[in-house]
Amino acid sequence: MGQSNSEEANMAVFGMDGWAPDHMKPGVLRAGGTREFYDAWKAFPELLAAVGFDGSYAWPVFYKSCDDELAALAVSEIRAAMPAWRAKRDRERAEKRAYWDRVFEEKRQRDAARAAEKAKAANERPARVKAELRALVEKRIWLLQPEDQARAIALAAHGEGMDLDDAERIVKKAAATLARAADRTSRPAKPQAMARAADPQIRDAVHEACRWLSVIDADRAQHQNSEGWGRSTTISGHYLAEQSSLTVEQAAYGLSILHTHRGQLPPELRRRLGL
């Protein structure tokens, strides 16, 4: 397959040589591609295909002769346009690198911050758990079941030798119990109780009664002695007692549990509550 001078120039302009007939494609030549050609193919594949080139495979490049002048013009136009195309490609690559550099740097910073927070939490854990357990024993022992109450008191007495895992387990159980008490006492009650609790004087009386029973609940409902709350009411009762004031829902709930313990209330308080 002979080539004219212009055709040979077209074929060689991308630095490719060693063209040879392709045994699978009659009338088509093949040669190894160059970076110059593959850049041009990425930029102008339709134009190169129109003048006989096929770079759709990584290797080799195929070429089928076409109009020499048209091919020469296309190659000339492509060569003239390539510097701008490469500059744009380089800018896009630089922008993409900068983007991923930012992404990875932000991830590195987040990971470092999380690691620092984790290390800080680990360092602060002993003091935090001990303080939380002592506060629980001193102020909110009522949040615990009898078996955990005894264990919490014993742990608090160990001071620096406290079993942190066991202490944290008890503290977490108490926190979950507190959350349930808050949810339970904040739900709307029966309409009649809600109507009574809408009266500020009734809410104040309920609050006072809850505090009264909490003060005399010395055994924290561990024994049936008609002093203070019972096992089914002690957590809710103590929770209501420690509030600065009661909402309508809380007071309505308080009325329901105070009824069981009305015999322990002072007569004047019972009168105000209508119990």
Side-chain angles (χ1 to χ4, degrees):
M1 177 179 173
Q3 288 86 37
S4 64
N5 291 337
S6 58
E7 183 177 334
E8 290 179 354
N10 295 339
M11 294 165 57
V13 74
F14 297 111
M16 293 182 290
D17 55 19
W19 292 94
D22 185 82
H23 64 281
M24 298 293 292
K25 298 181 178 183
V28 174
L29 299 177
R30 61 188 292 171
T34 61
R35 175 49 51 198
E36 183 183 3
F37 171 80
Y38 286 122
D39 281 351
W41 180 261
K42 288 177 183 177
F44 304 100
E46 294 86 358
L47 183 54
L48 282 171
V51 295
F53 289 96
D54 182 359
S56 56
Y57 301 93
W59 188 92
V61 173
F62 297 103
Y63 178 77
K64 186 173 183 179
S65 179
C66 70
D67 182 274
D68 293 345
E69 291 185 6
L70 179 62
L73 178 61
V75 169
S76 176
E77 292 294 327
I78 289 172
R79 292 191 68 191
M82 287 308 296
W85 180 86
R86 289 192 179 95
K88 179 183 177 183
R89 178 198 60 186
D90 292 344
R91 285 195 304 272
E92 291 174 347
R93 286 179 175 177
E95 290 171 359
K96 185 175 291 187
R97 281 196 299 270
Y99 168 77
W100 284 112
D101 285 345
R102 290 194 302 271
V103 168
F104 289 127
E105 176 59 20
E106 290 170 1
K107 181 180 184 302
R108 186 196 65 77
Q109 292 180 5
R110 288 196 302 270
D111 290 345
R114 281 195 291 265
E117 290 174 2
K118 187 175 181 180
K120 181 182 178 183
N123 290 333
E124 294 176 349
R125 179 175 177 254
R128 175 184 58 79
V129 172
K130 290 172 185 176
E132 290 175 349
L133 184 73
R134 292 190 185 107
L136 179 62
V137 169
E138 294 171 3
K139 300 177 181 179
R140 284 178 164 175
I141 194 70
W142 46 268
L143 282 170
L144 301 176
Q145 295 299 318
E147 59 274 16
D148 283 332
Q149 290 182 9
R151 180 60 179 159
I153 293 170
L155 284 168
H158 278 81
E160 293 303 316
M162 184 186 299
D163 184 331
L164 291 178
D165 290 339
D166 201 10
E168 193 166 44
R169 175 188 64 81
I170 292 175
V171 167
K172 287 182 177 179
K173 284 181 67 175
T177 299
L178 182 64
R180 288 193 295 270
D183 176 68
R184 182 168 56 248
T185 58
S186 64
R187 297 173 187 169
K190 294 180 179 179
Q192 183 179 358
M194 293 290 286
R196 291 193 64 205
D199 184 343
Q201 293 183 346
I202 292 294
R203 292 201 298 275
D204 289 343
V206 171
H207 202 192
E208 186 177 335
C210 288
R211 287 178 169 176
W212 173 274
L213 290 170
S214 295
V215 168
I216 65 174
D217 190 32
D219 66 342
R220 299 178 292 277
Q222 294 191 56
H223 306 290
Q224 293 184 352
N225 53 14
S226 298
E227 292 184 4
W229 302 105
R231 289 199 174 189
S232 63
T233 57
T234 184
I235 292 173
S236 297
H238 278 279
Y239 175 77
L240 294 175
E242 75 170 17
Q243 304 306 302
S244 58
S245 62
L246 299 184
T247 65
V248 173
E249 290 80 7
Q250 289 172 335
Y253 185 90
L255 284 169
S256 67
I257 61 174
L258 286 171
H259 188 271
T260 304
H261 305 286
R262 62 190 182 279
Q264 299 183 59
L265 300 175
E268 176 60 17
L269 193 51
R270 288 181 62 184
R271 183 191 64 76
R272 289 164 55 197
L273 288 167
L275 295 176

